[in-house]
Amino acid sequence: MSTVNDLKYKFKNLDVFGKIIAINVVIFFISLVFKSLLRFNLFTYFELPSGIMDFLFQPWSLITYGFLHNGLFHVAFNMLFLYYLSQVTTNLFRSKMVLNIYFLGIIFGGLAYLAYSNLLPSSLVNSNGVLVGASAGVSALLLFVAAYMPNSEIRLFNMFNVKWKHVAMVIVGLDLFRMISGMNQGGYVAHLGGYILGYVYATQLVKGSDIGTGFERTMDKFMNLFKPKSNLKTVHKNKSKGSTVNKTKKSTNTLDKQKKIDIILDKISKSGYESLTSEEKSFLFKIGKD
């Protein structure tokens, strides 16, 4: 019992992407047990079907397919990249914005797969296929990082640094080559949908527009349906001059903080993360925790 409580405690203290990774891994091993021992696919109705009519009877699969994987390498590769990309992005941006990119990538990847499966001639596609995996969401985060801050770096094998834009070039190039070669075309089309979403999100954010705000509001409303309603009444206090002054100071501090974040992001984009001073890195770490 104590082991279960320990696991619950550790899960509760993970950040949001740590929880997503843990859920993906647990679902994979549950699925593996059912398929290996019972010869039964427990999550059939959570996979994204290629047929449009099948999809209409399970529309939730446009998101749930992103929590399923069909092999150990598949889940390990996706979760490893998700871990690194989430570390980079959540230290610089709001966690909810990063979630927007990830889940919109999964959705756009799924839509790209459905379009590919239903608009091309049946002789060119597998009409009985299904789509699983978080690759489209990971692809969206990868292109977002590569487009928004191309000179930020990842340290590979604790030996050398590689810029994310170079990582993206290699992976996108391999995906395009495999897709043209006819290897798992539907899966790589989904990756392409994620890449496009990530690139568009980054380029629009540079212009000052967060295209994920509408999706974020929709998801907040959906999640609020499952929150218990409080019976406590809200007590409204009369506003005083002191509270107005405090509100003005808070607003000014928020603007100053955002300006500092923008300056640091610009520095990362031009010279990479390692060019930051220890003070700037500490500031980003503190912002990420907030």
Side-chain angles (χ1 to χ4, degrees), residues 11 66 81 87 128 152 165 170 178 189 196 215 225 244:
F11 180 80
F81 257 84
Q87 291 295 302
N128 296 316
S152 59
K165 66 179 180 182
V170 171
R178 290 165 181 161
V189 166
I196 293 172
F215 175 76
L225 296 175
T244 304

Side-chain angles (χ1 to χ4, degrees), residues 2-263:
S2 60
T3 304
V4 174
N5 289 333
D6 287 343
L7 290 174
K8 286 182 179 178
Y9 176 78
K10 288 178 180 178
F11 180 80
K12 187 177 179 180
N13 284 277
L14 291 171
D15 64 19
V16 64
F17 278 98
K19 287 174 178 160
I20 288 174
I21 291 169
I23 290 170
N24 271 272
V25 172
V26 169
I27 288 175
F28 170 74
F29 281 107
I30 291 174
S31 176
L32 186 65
V33 168
F34 272 81
K35 286 179 180 178
S36 301
L37 300 181
L38 304 176
R39 305 296 177 184
F40 176 68
N41 185 355
L42 183 65
F43 300 105
T44 298
Y45 292 103
F46 296 94
E47 299 171 340
L48 181 62
S50 57
I52 192 65
M53 293 306 298
D54 292 329
F55 165 69
L56 291 176
F57 283 101
Q58 52 187 81
W60 56 83
S61 62
L62 191 59
I63 290 181
T64 57
Y65 86 89
F67 290 90
L68 306 173
H69 293 83
N70 60 10
L72 184 59
F73 177 78
H74 191 202
V75 68
F77 183 84
N78 277 340
M79 294 305 103
L80 183 63
F81 257 84
L82 180 58
Y83 170 77
Y84 282 121
L85 287 163
S86 65
Q87 291 295 302
V88 172
T89 48
T90 54
N91 277 335
L92 301 173
F93 305 98
R94 294 181 303 113
S95 292
K96 279 192 175 182
M97 195 193 87
V98 183
L99 282 171
N100 292 342
I101 301 167
Y102 178 69
F103 281 112
L104 283 173
I106 287 175
I107 290 171
F108 271 73
L111 291 174
Y113 172 74
L114 287 171
Y116 162 82
S117 301
N118 293 276
L119 297 180
L120 290 183
S122 57
S123 58
L124 298 177
V125 299
N126 179 7
S127 58
N128 296 316
V130 294
L131 181 66
V132 295
S135 303
V138 175
S139 297
L141 284 176
L142 175 61
L143 249 292
F144 173 82
V145 171
Y148 193 87
M149 38 188 177
N151 292 312
S152 59
E153 297 179 336
I154 176 176
R155 187 161 183 81
L156 291 179
F157 311 113
N158 206 29
M159 295 172 59
F160 53 90
N161 294 340
V162 181
K163 291 182 178 180
W164 276 109
K165 66 179 180 182
H166 295 148
V167 175
M169 287 177 187
V170 171
I171 293 179
V172 173
L174 286 173
D175 280 357
L176 290 174
F177 173 76
R178 290 165 181 161
M179 186 169 66
I180 293 170
S181 301
M183 300 167 58
N184 186 24
Q185 288 180 315
Y188 292 120
V189 166
H191 292 192
L192 187 60
Y195 292 141
I196 293 172
L197 183 280
Y199 179 79
V200 171
Y201 207 118
T203 53
Q204 289 301 307
L205 194 63
V206 168
K207 297 175 183 177
S209 175
D210 184 347
I211 63 173
T213 52
F215 175 76
E216 184 178 325
R217 285 194 295 269
T218 301
M219 292 307 297
D220 284 343
K221 289 178 182 178
F222 177 76
M223 295 307 296
N224 285 336
L225 296 175
F226 301 94
K227 289 183 179 179
K229 293 182 179 179
S230 174
N231 292 323
L232 296 176
K233 294 182 179 179
T234 303
V235 178
H236 297 279
K237 294 183 178 180
N238 292 329
K239 293 183 179 179
S240 63
K241 291 183 179 179
S243 64
T244 304
V245 171
N246 289 336
K247 190 174 181 181
T248 303
K249 286 183 178 179
K250 186 176 180 181
S251 178
T252 303
N253 289 337
T254 302
L255 287 172
D256 290 341
K257 188 183 292 185
Q258 187 58 51
K259 286 181 181 178
K260 190 171 181 180
I261 291 173
D262 291 340
I263 291 170

